[in-house]
Amino acid sequence: DQQVKQNSPSLSVQEGRISILNCDYTNSMFDYFLWYKKYPAEGPTFLISISSIKDKNEDGRFTVFLNKSAKHLSLHIVPSQPGDSAVYFCAIRIAGNNRKLIWGLGTSLAVNP
Amino acid sequence: DAGITQSPRHKVTETGTPVTLRCHQTENHRYMYWYRQDPGHGLRLIHYSYGVKDTDKGEVSDGYSVSRSKTEDFLLTLESATSSQTSVYFCAITSQGQGRSPLHFGNGTRLTVT
């Protein structure tokens, strides 16, 4: 049973517009939420994170929103650029357990010029 | 970028043969992880290490063993490779454990078991 779900396997967006990637989770005992980006033939790279005590974190064009009541995490990319085309994974940590992350299956984002 | 290299990058082997994948880091990070990535499963943790000679199992550890005799090296061994172990394997490192500090991944090893 998947505790972390990325319900959209793929997303296509025009360059300059907003990309919104979503992640839903079932366990209230998660405390850190992370987004990773992955290009083909490379390992994932860390993008941005948020702790459960916050509801928003920004880093340049990337903003992560956390809605704990809805158990929903989202990543906004504004403006989207062709170089953002990649697979995006959300990963969530069980509270107090720094040895285990639970990963979503990923969303493939295509930003079209 | 974190100094982490995986070798080999690609390997084809036959069922029943032993295979060892190597992960080498130059960051002196305490924590090291082996993941596999498969379509429909995302990233799954195989084994991890929280220090020299300290290792533990992840969620898909059957058929795999690991060793960490030095801080910088974390080896993943498939004692007798099976076709179900065809996958892309990623090593990752972090200084404070997953979640508290970001994971830095290697570029992966694509293993094919025929």
Side-chain angles (χ1 to χ4, degrees), chain A residues 14 18 20 23-24 47 79 81 102 108:
Chain A
Q14 283 300 117
I18 185 171
I20 300 176
C23 183
D24 295 302
L47 197 55
Q81 300 174 353
I102 301 177
S108 179

Side-chain angles (χ1 to χ4, degrees), chain A:
Chain A
D1 189 25
Q2 262 188 292
Q3 297 187 62
V4 177
K5 292 184 180 180
Q6 294 180 252
N7 290 318
S8 298
S10 63
L11 176 67
S12 182
V13 171
Q14 283 300 117
E15 181 178 5
R17 306 295 292 269
I18 185 171
S19 294
I20 300 176
L21 297 103
N22 296 305
C23 183
D24 295 302
Y25 60 95
T26 58
N27 190 330
S28 298
M29 297 305 292
F30 294 140
D31 66 351
Y32 274 91
F33 305 80
L34 307 97
W35 284 97
Y36 285 81
K37 177 172 74 173
K38 185 183 181 305
Y39 294 119
E42 295 183 10
T45 56
F46 170 73
L47 197 55
I48 192 169
S49 66
I50 188 169
S51 76
S52 59
I53 62 172
K54 296 186 176 181
D55 53 21
K56 179 182 174 181
N57 187 27
E58 286 183 77
D59 184 1
R61 296 185 298 114
F62 302 92
T63 302
V64 57
F65 294 92
L66 177 62
N67 183 332
K68 289 185 287 292
S69 61
K71 296 188 177 67
H72 181 77
L73 180 73
S74 63
L75 174 68
H76 293 208
I77 306 174
V78 183
S80 301
Q81 300 174 353
D84 296 329
S85 298
V87 177
Y88 290 79
F89 293 95
C90 63
I92 304 180
R93 190 186 84 155
I94 297 173
N97 185 342
N98 66 1
R99 298 178 180 184
K100 181 174 174 63
L101 288 178
I102 301 177
W103 294 78
L105 298 187
T107 296
S108 179
L109 172 66
V111 180
N112 305 307

Side-chain angles (χ1 to χ4, degrees), chain B residues 14-98:
Chain B
E14 292 184 351
T15 298
T17 59
V19 177
T20 296
L21 309 183
R22 181 182 184 236
C23 177
H24 179 78
Q25 61 144 330
T26 58
E27 304 297 317
N28 201 37
H29 282 344
R30 176 182 175 189
Y31 296 89
M32 299 185 75
Y33 305 83
W34 277 108
Y35 279 92
R36 60 180 288 175
Q37 185 189 18
D38 304 287
H41 290 279
L43 283 158
R44 293 182 293 174
L45 182 65
I46 305 171
H47 280 281
Y48 60 95
S49 170
Y50 42 99
V52 173
K53 297 194 188 320
D54 287 326
T55 64
D56 208 345
K57 296 178 180 179
E59 59 187 303
V60 289
S61 59
D62 287 348
Y64 302 95
S65 62
V66 289
S67 66
R68 190 163 178 206
S69 58
K70 299 185 291 185
T71 298
E72 56 266 35
D73 289 324
F74 192 32
L75 304 180
L76 177 70
T77 297
L78 291 66
E79 301 291 347
S80 177
T82 67
S83 59
S84 65
Q85 293 175 312
T86 292
S87 186
V88 180
Y89 291 85
F90 289 102
C91 176
I93 62 175
T94 185
S95 58
Q96 298 182 40
Q98 300 191 96

